[in-house]
Amino acid sequence: MQNPVLKLVCVILASFIFSGCITGNSTLDIITSSTPLLVCTDITEPGDYELTQDLSSAGSCLNIYSDNVSLNCNGYLINGSGGGTGIYLIGIKNISISNCNISNFSTGLSLFYTNYSNIYNIETSYNLGNGIYLASSNWNNFTNITAYINSNAG
């Protein structure tokens, strides 16, 4: 025999979840929304991050030090002044980086000891060293990468 109180709680809970998703008035929206990045910074917590404007830096720009990070650049430019690294990943796993244009750094995108990650829709250009540098990293997937006019490899 089913418990009518439990059934009522389930119906109310389902109603709350679905109405919140449709109207956008639920805490679920807060959990799934991306954190906007307005300046170059260190990313030290898991989560979804996105650029909402171009970023510029005299040194390195985005340093990712946490597992389980998704970064969507939304096609914006990460621009350096000839030094540092545009996006730097070290000792982490399960990273997704997409839709980035990276220019004018020593290295555009560096992965050190970074595993099980997806890098896609990336353009690196005019970097004084490498467009993309990969070292001691395994099981990474690169898709739709364009690298041109970088002084060294890729």
Side-chain angles (χ1 to χ4, degrees):
M1 180 172 196
Q2 293 182 345
N3 183 337
V5 174
L6 181 59
K7 188 174 183 180
L8 178 61
V9 168
C10 289
V11 168
I12 292 171
L13 181 58
S15 174
F16 172 75
I17 290 171
F18 288 117
S19 68
C21 292
I22 292 168
T23 64
N25 293 324
S26 75
T27 56
L28 181 62
D29 292 333
I30 295 169
I31 293 169
T32 59
S33 67
S34 296
T35 300
L37 297 176
L38 303 175
V39 296
C40 294
T41 189
D42 292 345
I43 297 174
T44 59
E45 297 292 328
D48 296 328
Y49 299 86
E50 68 176 336
L51 297 190
T52 56
Q53 63 187 28
D54 292 341
L55 300 181
S56 293
S57 176
S60 292
C61 188
L62 298 175
N63 302 301
I64 302 176
Y65 299 115
S66 174
D67 295 340
N68 305 311
V69 167
S70 175
L71 170 63
N72 185 347
C73 296
N74 290 315
Y76 288 105
L77 174 65
I78 300 172
N79 193 38
S81 60
T85 302
I87 301 175
Y88 179 73
L89 298 83
I90 184 167
I92 53 180
K93 64 182 182 294
N94 194 30
I95 304 301
S96 174
I97 298 178
S98 63
N99 307 312
C100 301
N101 295 304
I102 309 165
S103 290
N104 299 311
F105 288 92
S106 178
T107 301
L109 173 63
S110 294
L111 286 79
F112 290 98
Y113 301 98
T114 299
N115 303 308
Y116 304 103
S117 296
N118 293 296
I119 313 297
Y120 57 99
N121 298 336
I122 304 295
E123 181 177 294
T124 64
S125 60
Y126 299 98
N127 294 292
L128 298 178
N130 298 302
I132 298 176
Y133 186 79
L134 182 68
S136 301
S137 299
N138 298 294
W139 302 107
N140 295 296
N141 186 21
F142 291 83
T143 307
N144 196 27
I145 306 299
T146 303
Y148 61 95
I149 313 175
N150 297 294
S151 295
N152 288 341

